[in-house]
Amino acid sequence: MCSENAAGPERDEVDIEFLGNRTGQPYLVQTNVYKNGTGGREMRHALWFDPTHDFHTYSFLWNNHQLVIFVDKVPIRVYKNANYTNNFFPNEKPMYLFSSIWDAEDWATRGGADKTDWSKSPFVSSYTDFTADGCRWEDPFPACVSNTADNWWDQYDTWHLSDDQKKDYAWVQRNLVVYDYCKDTKRYTTLPEECWISPWE
């Protein structure tokens, strides 16, 4: 999802991307969050299945308290907002939803070590049972931002993980996280401020 259809320099963006893989190796999913053109908030997860064999469900729960990315209803990433004005949680711009296949062979597969095999083209992605439930943006702000009583995605229970979701999320953290920018102290000698916000609360 992106706030500009041309990915401009001041954009907000939320990504879920399948990275390239070597035959027989687990598929990786990368997520990233941009606010006002600043990203660098990547996480990578191994999947517990081969996504090319069948359809799976990939979903976002996004309200003013948290952004949760799910795979088959399992929360793989929890990105929390703070209780103060900040420059890391995207919640001030309307978003477009995009889906595409794009060439990222210079970095996506083992850091660019493995290149795209163009002899296997054309490359196709297929979707089924797509649904979207949200509010339509109306300037200066959509009505649903301030009226939480009418929208299921902004009820109190959606402001944090349920007990069962916390168990699933803990399993993901133990077994599937390949990269977390919040733990990359070589890249970030001072960790970004959102890294100190607990996903469990």
Side-chain angles (χ1 to χ4, degrees):
M1 290 178 284
C2 189
S3 62
E4 302 177 29
N5 59 14
E10 298 297 319
R11 73 190 184 279
D12 289 358
E13 183 175 327
V14 179
D15 295 329
I16 180 168
E17 302 165 326
F18 291 92
L19 303 186
N21 78 311
R22 304 182 79 187
T23 301
Q25 297 298 311
Y27 282 83
L28 300 183
V29 165
Q30 175 170 286
T31 59
N32 199 356
V33 178
Y34 286 73
K35 174 75 179 278
N36 294 325
T38 300
R41 300 178 174 100
E42 300 93 345
M43 287 191 72
R44 294 187 189 119
H45 296 80
L47 292 173
W48 57 97
F49 54 83
D50 184 337
T52 67
H53 286 175
D54 202 354
F55 289 100
H56 292 267
T57 301
Y58 308 91
S59 54
F60 298 87
L61 170 62
W62 187 7
N63 54 44
N64 202 41
H65 301 272
Q66 65 177 358
L67 167 63
V68 185
I69 301 175
F70 296 88
V71 177
D72 288 342
K73 299 184 179 181
V74 174
I76 65 165
R77 181 165 188 179
V78 179
Y79 190 76
K80 302 289 279 191
N81 197 1
N83 60 358
Y84 56 86
T85 301
N86 60 71
N87 201 35
F88 59 81
F89 194 86
N91 61 349
E92 298 171 344
K93 298 176 184 177
M95 302 288 267
Y96 299 87
L97 182 65
F98 297 89
S99 179
S100 65
I101 299 174
W102 57 289
D103 177 17
E105 68 175 12
D106 57 333
W107 63 269
T109 307
R110 295 195 312 133
D114 296 318
K115 303 302 181 185
T116 302
D117 183 353
W118 294 103
S119 69
K120 297 190 181 334
S121 65
F123 304 107
V124 177
S125 60
S126 301
Y127 308 88
T128 186
D129 298 328
F130 173 81
T131 60
D133 196 359
C135 62
R136 182 180 298 274
W137 187 272
E138 297 175 6
D139 285 330
F141 293 101
C144 62
V145 167
S146 59
N147 186 359
T148 62
D150 295 334
N151 305 298
W152 70 263
W153 63 83
D154 203 14
Q155 302 297 311
Y156 177 76
D157 287 346
T158 67
W159 297 359
H160 45 75
L161 297 180
S162 69
D163 289 343
D164 286 341
Q165 288 172 336
K166 287 178 180 178
K167 291 176 185 177
D168 288 343
Y169 183 65
W171 175 79
V172 167
Q173 294 298 298
R174 289 193 307 269
N175 296 289
L176 300 179
V177 176
V178 175
Y179 175 80
D180 182 348
Y181 78 107
C182 283
K183 297 180 180 177
D184 191 343
T185 54
K186 290 183 179 179
R187 182 182 181 190
Y188 295 105
T189 53
T190 300
L191 290 179
E193 62 181 304
E194 68 271 15
C195 293
W196 301 104
I197 302 175
S198 172
W200 303 98
E201 298 175 359

